[in-house]
Structures are given as structure tokens and as C-alpha cells.
Amino acid sequence: MKRILVATDLSARSDRALRRALTIAHESASTLEVIHVIDDAWPGAEIERQDQCARSVIADELRQAGAETKPSTTIVRGQPFVEIVKRATETGVDLIVLGIHRGKGREMFRGTTAERVIRLGHTPVLVVTTPVTHGYGRVLVGYDFSIHSKRALEFAALWLPAAEFHIVHATHVPFKGFLGPQTQNEIADDEESKAAGRLEEDLTALKNRFGARCPQFHVSIEEGAPLAVIGTHAKKVRPDLIVIGTYGRSGLSHLVLGSIAEELIADATIDILAVKA
């Protein structure tokens, strides 16, 4: 982790994102940039007033946070999601940090700055929902063997080598309603065995690449809907962070991030790291 970009809309929702970004920057010795976007539809005089106000508010928040890392501040004009993605691309940041969106549920989440930044950009995005009291010591990763979930696990493991990782994979029994109990169990056992073998291969490859810096992995494989399985394990292990791979298929509506990622982020009560391959 070398460069971090945190976006603020100057609301209370952004406070936690700024404080988390400051913490990460300090722990990883990364450079940090704070960006605020002013709607360019305002008249010039109003834009100038908002620019000065934004700089003042950000400076006050940094003082209150007792920032040990001194970030730079960038104020730009335009649409927030466009300018955030553009700035992240131009400066080659490793992580974008955003505050939680207003409201809960997928309908409220769609079209938000966070949803668009995750969908349209290629930089990992951390959506911060919880107060900053400690670092990320326990991480839950939803894993489906896709290139996106592999990239998400790799990024998180490289970033947080000292954390305890809980990797969750949900298996599926096809045509379950038409099968007898014994057949269901046999297929479920077979699917679990296959998944365990593939996961062992992926984790061994990761351990070989990272060596001593590789985190400790705990693996859980269960039959069921992915969202339900992730939710059940989140209640069990109480992670500080949930990591998910995202598809980011632009041009679609309800599948823009993949339904699992979208649902998790939309109703997040835990910080979420969304990573796209």
C-alpha cells in the first residue's frame, strides 16, 4: 500500500472514512490524499465559496482527528463519482476509501457515488461504516473461485498479513427440491470435497507466493445461498472487515456489481472491501 485516496462530501458519514484512511496511511506509511467534489452546476462565485468552505472543514476534521499523516487536499468540480475515479486513475492509488451511503437497501444504494465508483473504477474500494477503534484484525472473505474473488483475497492478504482470515465458500446442490435426502447429502458432500480441493490449491499457491508474510487462513465450506452463508459466518466470527470480489458490469441495472456484492454493501454494518480484477 503506497497511495490512498479518501473522498469526503463533508457530511458526518465521511468522518469515519477519513479517520480510517488516516489510520491506514499511518500504519502502512502510505501517502494520503483527500478529495472533495463540488457540483459544477453552481455559479462561479458559489463554487469559490464552497471551495473555501470545504478546505476549512477538511482542515478542521484533520485537526480533530489528530492526524499523524499529513494528507494533501484536492478540491475539484464535476460529478463526484467521475472525478473520484478519474483522480484515482491519474495518480495510481492503491485504495479508495469512501463513507457509507445514505439509507439502507439495494434500491437506495443503486446510483450512489459508492456504487458508481465501485462499478466503473478498477481500484479497490473500502466502504467504511463503523467507528475507528482498532485495526482490521479479523477478516471475512466471500470466495467463489472467480478471478474477482481471487484478486480480492490476494489484495487483502497482502495488505493485512497479520490479520486472521476466515474464507467462506457456499456450495450449491442443483435441483435440490427434486432429490431425496440421501441423494442431496451425497451431492452436497461431493461438492464440498471438490471445493475443498480447489481452495487448498488456491491457498497453497498464495502461501508459496507470500511466504512468511501470508496470513493465517480458516476455511469454511457450506451448502446454501452465498449471502446467507456469509451472513451466518459474520455473526459467528464477528469480523472487522468483509472482503468481496465485484464484477462491475456496466450497462446492467441490478447486476452492476453482482447481486451478492451489491446486497452486502447496500446493507453493510461492517466495513466492506470491494475488489475487482
Side-chain angles (χ1 to χ4, degrees):
M1 191 83 69
K2 296 180 180 179
R3 297 182 63 89
I4 302 168
L5 179 69
V6 57
T8 177
D9 60 5
L10 309 182
S11 70
R13 296 186 308 277
S14 295
D15 289 353
R16 294 176 178 181
L18 179 58
R19 289 175 182 267
R20 177 61 72 180
L22 286 166
T23 299
I24 296 170
H26 176 66
E27 292 175 345
S28 60
S30 303
T31 60
L32 176 63
E33 179 180 2
V34 183
I35 185 171
H36 173 69
V37 184
I38 300 172
D39 190 336
D40 58 6
W42 290 102
E46 176 60 20
I47 288 177
E48 183 61 30
R49 187 195 69 78
Q50 290 191 30
D51 184 298
Q52 294 176 3
C53 178
R55 292 181 189 279
S56 176
V57 170
I58 292 170
D60 285 345
E61 289 180 349
L62 291 174
R63 279 193 293 270
Q64 291 173 18
E68 297 183 58
T69 301
K70 300 301 181 184
S72 60
T73 299
T74 299
I75 310 293
V76 296
R77 306 173 185 183
Q79 290 181 286
F81 76 93
V82 172
E83 299 303 326
I84 292 168
V85 171
K86 180 181 177 182
R87 187 65 181 171
T89 302
E90 288 176 345
T91 58
V93 301
D94 301 297
L95 180 69
I96 297 172
V97 183
L98 302 174
I100 191 64
H101 58 283
R102 183 185 292 116
K104 293 287 186 180
R106 291 170 71 176
E107 293 301 323
M108 292 289 288
F109 177 63
R110 292 170 190 162
T112 62
T113 296
E115 186 269 334
R116 290 177 174 181
V117 168
I118 295 169
R119 173 164 55 91
L120 300 176
H122 294 281
T123 305
V125 177
L126 175 64
V127 181
V128 179
T129 66
T130 57
V132 182
T133 58
H134 55 274
Y136 295 132
R138 191 175 295 115
V139 180
L140 178 65
V141 183
Y143 197 78
D144 64 2
F145 301 109
S146 69
I147 187 173
H148 307 282
S149 65
K150 289 180 180 181
R151 170 63 179 141
L153 175 58
E154 177 185 314
F155 180 88
L158 186 62
W159 170 27
L160 300 166
E164 177 184 291
F165 274 68
H166 294 263
I167 301 173
V168 179
H169 174 74
T171 61
H172 171 63
V173 176
F175 309 109
K176 186 175 181 179
F178 299 95
L179 304 174
Q182 183 176 347
T183 304
Q184 288 182 29
N185 292 335
E186 290 174 354
I187 294 176
D189 289 344
D190 183 55
E191 291 296 315
E192 182 176 338
S193 178
K194 291 178 181 177
R198 293 182 66 186
L199 254 174
E200 184 177 359
E201 289 179 5
D202 289 353
L203 295 182
T204 297
L206 205 58
K207 291 173 183 177
N208 290 337
R209 284 182 58 195
F210 290 174
R213 284 184 53 80
C214 198
Q216 179 183 6
F217 296 124
H218 302 275
V219 176
S220 296
I221 301 172
E222 288 188 12
E223 192 275 323
L227 195 63
V229 171
I230 291 173
T232 297
H233 279 273
K235 291 178 180 178
K236 287 181 181 178
V237 306
R238 298 184 179 277
D240 307 304
L241 177 69
I242 293 179
V243 178
I244 192 78
T246 62
Y247 295 87
R249 294 186 287 256
S250 58
L252 300 178
S253 56
H254 67 287
L255 293 178
V256 288
L257 298 179
S259 59
I260 306 304
E262 187 180 60
E263 191 91 30
L264 280 172
I265 301 168
D267 293 316
T269 57
I270 300 168
D271 292 3
I272 304 282
L273 174 66
V275 182
K276 190 178 355 177

